Each structure stands twice: as C-alpha cells, then as structure tokens.
Amino acid sequence: MSALDPLAGACLLLGAVLALSAGAGLVKFRHTLERMHAGTKPQVAGVLLVLLAMWLHRPTWATAGPLALVGLSQVITVAVAAYTVARAAYARDSSREDEDDGTSLPPEEPPGSSPKS
C-alpha cells in the first residue's frame, strides 16, 4: 500500500458523492436550466476527482497522459452540451418559473388515491 492510497480513496469517495449529488439534482429540480446546472457542475468535479484518485493510485507519466486527456475532453464536452441545452431552453422559452417546461416527472399520487382516468 502506497502513502498516497488514503488520499486516492478520499478523492474517489468525494468524487462519487459529487456524482451522486448531480444525479439527485437531475431528479429533484423541475426546470431545464436548474437541471442543467445540477448535471454539469458537480458531475464534472466528481469525474475529475475520480481521475485524480486513479492517478494517485498509480502516479506515473504513463497514466497521467490518458487521464488528463479524459479530464480535458470531459470539461469541454460538458460545457458545449450545457450551452446547447441552454440555447434550446431559451428558444422554447421554457425558463419561466411559473410553468412546467415539460421535462419534470409527473407529481406523485397520494397513497390510497385512485389514478386519474
């Protein structure tokens, strides 16, 4: 066991928690722009922390190159995807707070109630 393994484990755990929070935010938030933020910021940080943990587990130049390439492509593609989603939401005018933009889950039925026909 290396001296960097506890630090790698901490980075891996924190990255997993950030990725889980991104998934929870995608389910919890109602509007497209809120979901876009929840799906990009913590998810990218989580992936970068997992990549850092992988490098700390095997700190060589042979592993640093591919991991850096994966991290860079993740940052670039998420930024482009978020921009594209924001433009589409703006074009549909779905960023208004007073109405559902059609991307949220249907409200849950209270227990014991019959489904609407």
Side-chain angles (χ1 to χ4, degrees), residues 25-35 94 96-107:
L26 289 174
V27 172
K28 180 186 182 302
F29 291 128
R30 231 182 118 116
H31 298 285
T32 303
L33 296 179
E34 293 170 347
R35 286 182 176 183
S94 66
R96 290 183 285 181
E97 295 293 326
D98 58 340
E99 66 183 42
D100 183 14
D101 64 1
T103 62
S104 64
L105 296 172

PDB file of all heavy atoms in Angstrom, residues 25-35 94 96-107:
ATOM      1  N   GLY A  25     -29.807  15.849  -8.167  1.00  0.00           N
ATOM      2  CA  GLY A  25     -30.253  17.154  -8.643  1.00  0.00           C
ATOM      3  C   GLY A  25     -31.031  17.054  -9.944  1.00  0.00           C
ATOM      4  O   GLY A  25     -31.994  17.790 -10.159  1.00  0.00           O
ATOM      5  N   LEU A  26     -30.634  16.121 -10.816  1.00  0.00           N
ATOM      6  CA  LEU A  26     -31.374  15.932 -12.062  1.00  0.00           C
ATOM      7  C   LEU A  26     -32.789  15.430 -11.800  1.00  0.00           C
ATOM      8  O   LEU A  26     -33.721  15.757 -12.530  1.00  0.00           O
ATOM      9  CB  LEU A  26     -30.632  14.958 -12.981  1.00  0.00           C
ATOM     10  CG  LEU A  26     -29.357  15.486 -13.605  1.00  0.00           C
ATOM     11  CD1 LEU A  26     -28.652  14.380 -14.378  1.00  0.00           C
ATOM     12  CD2 LEU A  26     -29.649  16.648 -14.516  1.00  0.00           C
ATOM     13  N   VAL A  27     -32.947  14.638 -10.764  1.00  0.00           N
ATOM     14  CA  VAL A  27     -34.275  14.129 -10.434  1.00  0.00           C
ATOM     15  C   VAL A  27     -35.091  15.169  -9.668  1.00  0.00           C
ATOM     16  O   VAL A  27     -36.282  15.326  -9.884  1.00  0.00           O
ATOM     17  CB  VAL A  27     -34.156  12.826  -9.613  1.00  0.00           C
ATOM     18  CG1 VAL A  27     -35.496  12.372  -9.091  1.00  0.00           C
ATOM     19  CG2 VAL A  27     -33.526  11.738 -10.456  1.00  0.00           C
ATOM     20  N   LYS A  28     -34.439  15.914  -8.780  1.00  0.00           N
ATOM     21  CA  LYS A  28     -35.149  16.821  -7.884  1.00  0.00           C
ATOM     22  C   LYS A  28     -35.616  18.106  -8.562  1.00  0.00           C
ATOM     23  O   LYS A  28     -36.748  18.536  -8.372  1.00  0.00           O
ATOM     24  CB  LYS A  28     -34.260  17.179  -6.702  1.00  0.00           C
ATOM     25  CG  LYS A  28     -34.920  18.127  -5.715  1.00  0.00           C
ATOM     26  CD  LYS A  28     -33.926  18.551  -4.663  1.00  0.00           C
ATOM     27  CE  LYS A  28     -34.517  19.445  -3.622  1.00  0.00           C
ATOM     28  NZ  LYS A  28     -35.110  20.651  -4.120  1.00  0.00           N
ATOM     29  N   PHE A  29     -34.749  18.721  -9.355  1.00  0.00           N
ATOM     30  CA  PHE A  29     -35.085  20.022  -9.918  1.00  0.00           C
ATOM     31  C   PHE A  29     -36.122  19.899 -11.016  1.00  0.00           C
ATOM     32  O   PHE A  29     -36.201  18.907 -11.724  1.00  0.00           O
ATOM     33  CB  PHE A  29     -33.837  20.733 -10.433  1.00  0.00           C
ATOM     34  CG  PHE A  29     -32.913  21.153  -9.339  1.00  0.00           C
ATOM     35  CD1 PHE A  29     -31.582  20.819  -9.370  1.00  0.00           C
ATOM     36  CD2 PHE A  29     -33.382  21.893  -8.279  1.00  0.00           C
ATOM     37  CE1 PHE A  29     -30.723  21.211  -8.367  1.00  0.00           C
ATOM     38  CE2 PHE A  29     -32.534  22.293  -7.263  1.00  0.00           C
ATOM     39  CZ  PHE A  29     -31.202  21.947  -7.305  1.00  0.00           C
ATOM     40  N   ARG A  30     -36.919  20.949 -11.169  1.00  0.00           N
ATOM     41  CA  ARG A  30     -38.080  20.917 -12.040  1.00  0.00           C
ATOM     42  C   ARG A  30     -37.832  21.477 -13.422  1.00  0.00           C
ATOM     43  O   ARG A  30     -38.394  21.001 -14.392  1.00  0.00           O
ATOM     44  CB  ARG A  30     -39.170  21.755 -11.378  1.00  0.00           C
ATOM     45  CG  ARG A  30     -40.454  21.089 -11.262  1.00  0.00           C
ATOM     46  CD  ARG A  30     -41.414  22.053 -10.641  1.00  0.00           C
ATOM     47  NE  ARG A  30     -42.471  22.291 -11.584  1.00  0.00           N
ATOM     48  CZ  ARG A  30     -43.709  21.972 -11.380  1.00  0.00           C
ATOM     49  NH1 ARG A  30     -44.057  21.486 -10.237  1.00  0.00           N
ATOM     50  NH2 ARG A  30     -44.611  22.159 -12.290  1.00  0.00           N
ATOM     51  N   HIS A  31     -37.048  22.489 -13.543  1.00  0.00           N
ATOM     52  CA  HIS A  31     -36.900  23.198 -14.811  1.00  0.00           C
ATOM     53  C   HIS A  31     -35.573  22.856 -15.485  1.00  0.00           C
ATOM     54  O   HIS A  31     -34.610  22.468 -14.851  1.00  0.00           O
ATOM     55  CB  HIS A  31     -37.010  24.708 -14.590  1.00  0.00           C
ATOM     56  CG  HIS A  31     -38.343  25.107 -14.047  1.00  0.00           C
ATOM     57  ND1 HIS A  31     -39.466  25.149 -14.825  1.00  0.00           N
ATOM     58  CD2 HIS A  31     -38.738  25.440 -12.803  1.00  0.00           C
ATOM     59  CE1 HIS A  31     -40.490  25.499 -14.093  1.00  0.00           C
ATOM     60  NE2 HIS A  31     -40.075  25.684 -12.849  1.00  0.00           N
ATOM     61  N   THR A  32     -35.563  23.055 -16.778  1.00  0.00           N
ATOM     62  CA  THR A  32     -34.405  22.672 -17.588  1.00  0.00           C
ATOM     63  C   THR A  32     -33.127  23.364 -17.142  1.00  0.00           C
ATOM     64  O   THR A  32     -32.081  22.728 -17.021  1.00  0.00           O
ATOM     65  CB  THR A  32     -34.675  23.002 -19.064  1.00  0.00           C
ATOM     66  OG1 THR A  32     -35.872  22.338 -19.468  1.00  0.00           O
ATOM     67  CG2 THR A  32     -33.539  22.556 -19.941  1.00  0.00           C
ATOM     68  N   LEU A  33     -33.181  24.658 -16.907  1.00  0.00           N
ATOM     69  CA  LEU A  33     -31.963  25.381 -16.546  1.00  0.00           C
ATOM     70  C   LEU A  33     -31.441  24.960 -15.173  1.00  0.00           C
ATOM     71  O   LEU A  33     -30.225  24.905 -14.960  1.00  0.00           O
ATOM     72  CB  LEU A  33     -32.218  26.885 -16.603  1.00  0.00           C
ATOM     73  CG  LEU A  33     -32.559  27.421 -17.993  1.00  0.00           C
ATOM     74  CD1 LEU A  33     -32.829  28.918 -17.939  1.00  0.00           C
ATOM     75  CD2 LEU A  33     -31.474  27.103 -18.983  1.00  0.00           C
ATOM     76  N   GLU A  34     -32.340  24.655 -14.242  1.00  0.00           N
ATOM     77  CA  GLU A  34     -31.894  24.151 -12.942  1.00  0.00           C
ATOM     78  C   GLU A  34     -31.244  22.779 -13.098  1.00  0.00           C
ATOM     79  O   GLU A  34     -30.208  22.502 -12.497  1.00  0.00           O
ATOM     80  CB  GLU A  34     -33.081  24.045 -11.986  1.00  0.00           C
ATOM     81  CG  GLU A  34     -33.679  25.378 -11.606  1.00  0.00           C
ATOM     82  CD  GLU A  34     -34.986  25.225 -10.860  1.00  0.00           C
ATOM     83  OE1 GLU A  34     -35.561  24.110 -10.846  1.00  0.00           O
ATOM     84  OE2 GLU A  34     -35.435  26.227 -10.287  1.00  0.00           O
ATOM     85  N   ARG A  35     -31.848  21.926 -13.899  1.00  0.00           N
ATOM     86  CA  ARG A  35     -31.285  20.600 -14.136  1.00  0.00           C
ATOM     87  C   ARG A  35     -29.939  20.680 -14.846  1.00  0.00           C
ATOM     88  O   ARG A  35     -29.041  19.892 -14.580  1.00  0.00           O
ATOM     89  CB  ARG A  35     -32.238  19.781 -14.973  1.00  0.00           C
ATOM     90  CG  ARG A  35     -33.423  19.323 -14.222  1.00  0.00           C
ATOM     91  CD  ARG A  35     -34.266  18.488 -15.115  1.00  0.00           C
ATOM     92  NE  ARG A  35     -35.377  17.976 -14.352  1.00  0.00           N
ATOM     93  CZ  ARG A  35     -36.260  17.175 -14.837  1.00  0.00           C
ATOM     94  NH1 ARG A  35     -36.176  16.782 -16.087  1.00  0.00           N
ATOM     95  NH2 ARG A  35     -37.245  16.742 -14.090  1.00  0.00           N
ATOM     96  N   SER A  94     -38.622  28.090 -22.136  1.00  0.00           N
ATOM     97  CA  SER A  94     -39.003  27.184 -21.054  1.00  0.00           C
ATOM     98  C   SER A  94     -38.340  27.551 -19.742  1.00  0.00           C
ATOM     99  O   SER A  94     -38.422  26.800 -18.796  1.00  0.00           O
ATOM    100  CB  SER A  94     -38.637  25.757 -21.426  1.00  0.00           C
ATOM    101  OG  SER A  94     -37.236  25.634 -21.517  1.00  0.00           O
ATOM    102  N   ARG A  96     -39.190  30.029 -17.840  1.00  0.00           N
ATOM    103  CA  ARG A  96     -40.099  30.730 -16.944  1.00  0.00           C
ATOM    104  C   ARG A  96     -40.373  29.885 -15.722  1.00  0.00           C
ATOM    105  O   ARG A  96     -40.598  28.688 -15.816  1.00  0.00           O
ATOM    106  CB  ARG A  96     -41.398  31.072 -17.664  1.00  0.00           C
ATOM    107  CG  ARG A  96     -41.193  32.157 -18.706  1.00  0.00           C
ATOM    108  CD  ARG A  96     -42.487  32.499 -19.327  1.00  0.00           C
ATOM    109  NE  ARG A  96     -42.820  31.401 -20.247  1.00  0.00           N
ATOM    110  CZ  ARG A  96     -43.904  31.371 -20.984  1.00  0.00           C
ATOM    111  NH1 ARG A  96     -44.791  32.335 -20.901  1.00  0.00           N
ATOM    112  NH2 ARG A  96     -44.133  30.372 -21.803  1.00  0.00           N
ATOM    113  N   GLU A  97     -40.367  30.522 -14.572  1.00  0.00           N
ATOM    114  CA  GLU A  97     -40.531  29.816 -13.311  1.00  0.00           C
ATOM    115  C   GLU A  97     -41.984  29.443 -13.021  1.00  0.00           C
ATOM    116  O   GLU A  97     -42.259  28.574 -12.224  1.00  0.00           O
ATOM    117  CB  GLU A  97     -40.008  30.680 -12.154  1.00  0.00           C
ATOM    118  CG  GLU A  97     -38.522  30.941 -12.221  1.00  0.00           C
ATOM    119  CD  GLU A  97     -37.695  29.690 -12.019  1.00  0.00           C
ATOM    120  OE1 GLU A  97     -38.114  28.823 -11.239  1.00  0.00           O
ATOM    121  OE2 GLU A  97     -36.640  29.574 -12.662  1.00  0.00           O
ATOM    122  N   ASP A  98     -42.955  30.104 -13.659  1.00  0.00           N
ATOM    123  CA  ASP A  98     -44.347  29.922 -13.288  1.00  0.00           C
ATOM    124  C   ASP A  98     -45.012  28.715 -13.945  1.00  0.00           C
ATOM    125  O   ASP A  98     -46.133  28.380 -13.623  1.00  0.00           O
ATOM    126  CB  ASP A  98     -45.147  31.182 -13.599  1.00  0.00           C
ATOM    127  CG  ASP A  98     -45.063  31.563 -15.071  1.00  0.00           C
ATOM    128  OD1 ASP A  98     -44.131  31.108 -15.743  1.00  0.00           O
ATOM    129  OD2 ASP A  98     -45.936  32.334 -15.519  1.00  0.00           O
ATOM    130  N   GLU A  99     -44.352  28.058 -14.869  1.00  0.00           N
ATOM    131  CA  GLU A  99     -44.977  26.913 -15.519  1.00  0.00           C
ATOM    132  C   GLU A  99     -43.989  25.780 -15.695  1.00  0.00           C
ATOM    133  O   GLU A  99     -42.778  25.964 -15.701  1.00  0.00           O
ATOM    134  CB  GLU A  99     -45.565  27.317 -16.862  1.00  0.00           C
ATOM    135  CG  GLU A  99     -44.533  27.726 -17.883  1.00  0.00           C
ATOM    136  CD  GLU A  99     -45.177  28.195 -19.173  1.00  0.00           C
ATOM    137  OE1 GLU A  99     -46.164  28.924 -19.118  1.00  0.00           O
ATOM    138  OE2 GLU A  99     -44.654  27.813 -20.229  1.00  0.00           O
ATOM    139  N   ASP A 100     -44.538  24.586 -15.836  1.00  0.00           N
ATOM    140  CA  ASP A 100     -43.735  23.389 -16.043  1.00  0.00           C
ATOM    141  C   ASP A 100     -43.232  23.394 -17.486  1.00  0.00           C
ATOM    142  O   ASP A 100     -43.996  23.681 -18.407  1.00  0.00           O
ATOM    143  CB  ASP A 100     -44.600  22.162 -15.759  1.00  0.00           C
ATOM    144  CG  ASP A 100     -43.833  20.866 -15.873  1.00  0.00           C
ATOM    145  OD1 ASP A 100     -42.590  20.911 -15.899  1.00  0.00           O
ATOM    146  OD2 ASP A 100     -44.474  19.805 -15.918  1.00  0.00           O
ATOM    147  N   ASP A 101     -41.958  23.079 -17.683  1.00  0.00           N
ATOM    148  CA  ASP A 101     -41.420  23.100 -19.038  1.00  0.00           C
ATOM    149  C   ASP A 101     -41.537  21.758 -19.746  1.00  0.00           C
ATOM    150  O   ASP A 101     -41.028  21.581 -20.832  1.00  0.00           O
ATOM    151  CB  ASP A 101     -39.972  23.590 -19.037  1.00  0.00           C
ATOM    152  CG  ASP A 101     -39.038  22.664 -18.291  1.00  0.00           C
ATOM    153  OD1 ASP A 101     -39.498  21.628 -17.783  1.00  0.00           O
ATOM    154  OD2 ASP A 101     -37.844  22.981 -18.219  1.00  0.00           O
ATOM    155  N   GLY A 102     -42.216  20.789 -19.135  1.00  0.00           N
ATOM    156  CA  GLY A 102     -42.449  19.506 -19.782  1.00  0.00           C
ATOM    157  C   GLY A 102     -41.367  18.485 -19.547  1.00  0.00           C
ATOM    158  O   GLY A 102     -41.462  17.366 -20.034  1.00  0.00           O
ATOM    159  N   THR A 103     -40.323  18.824 -18.796  1.00  0.00           N
ATOM    160  CA  THR A 103     -39.258  17.860 -18.557  1.00  0.00           C
ATOM    161  C   THR A 103     -39.288  17.265 -17.167  1.00  0.00           C
ATOM    162  O   THR A 103     -38.511  16.377 -16.871  1.00  0.00           O
ATOM    163  CB  THR A 103     -37.875  18.511 -18.766  1.00  0.00           C
ATOM    164  OG1 THR A 103     -37.713  19.565 -17.818  1.00  0.00           O
ATOM    165  CG2 THR A 103     -37.732  19.041 -20.174  1.00  0.00           C
ATOM    166  N   SER A 104     -40.185  17.737 -16.304  1.00  0.00           N
ATOM    167  CA  SER A 104     -40.205  17.227 -14.937  1.00  0.00           C
ATOM    168  C   SER A 104     -41.021  15.944 -14.856  1.00  0.00           C
ATOM    169  O   SER A 104     -41.840  15.636 -15.719  1.00  0.00           O
ATOM    170  CB  SER A 104     -40.781  18.274 -13.987  1.00  0.00           C
ATOM    171  OG  SER A 104     -42.122  18.526 -14.320  1.00  0.00           O
ATOM    172  N   LEU A 105     -40.794  15.200 -13.792  1.00  0.00           N
ATOM    173  CA  LEU A 105     -41.553  13.987 -13.547  1.00  0.00           C
ATOM    174  C   LEU A 105     -42.967  14.353 -13.137  1.00  0.00           C
ATOM    175  O   LEU A 105     -43.193  15.393 -12.530  1.00  0.00           O
ATOM    176  CB  LEU A 105     -40.887  13.183 -12.425  1.00  0.00           C
ATOM    177  CG  LEU A 105     -39.494  12.655 -12.727  1.00  0.00           C
ATOM    178  CD1 LEU A 105     -38.887  12.047 -11.482  1.00  0.00           C
ATOM    179  CD2 LEU A 105     -39.542  11.634 -13.833  1.00  0.00           C
ATOM    180  N   PRO A 106     -43.941  13.507 -13.442  1.00  0.00           N
ATOM    181  CA  PRO A 106     -45.299  13.822 -13.006  1.00  0.00           C
ATOM    182  C   PRO A 106     -45.394  13.776 -11.488  1.00  0.00           C
ATOM    183  O   PRO A 106     -44.650  13.037 -10.837  1.00  0.00           O
ATOM    184  CB  PRO A 106     -46.144  12.726 -13.655  1.00  0.00           C
ATOM    185  CG  PRO A 106     -45.210  11.647 -14.014  1.00  0.00           C
ATOM    186  CD  PRO A 106     -43.861  12.277 -14.187  1.00  0.00           C
ATOM    187  N   PRO A 107     -46.295  14.556 -10.888  1.00  0.00           N
ATOM    188  CA  PRO A 107     -46.411  14.550  -9.439  1.00  0.00           C
ATOM    189  C   PRO A 107     -46.873  13.178  -8.958  1.00  0.00           C
ATOM    190  O   PRO A 107     -47.641  12.491  -9.621  1.00  0.00           O
ATOM    191  CB  PRO A 107     -47.450  15.632  -9.147  1.00  0.00           C
ATOM    192  CG  PRO A 107     -48.132  15.904 -10.428  1.00  0.00           C
ATOM    193  CD  PRO A 107     -47.222  15.469 -11.526  1.00  0.00           C
TER     194      PRO A 107
END
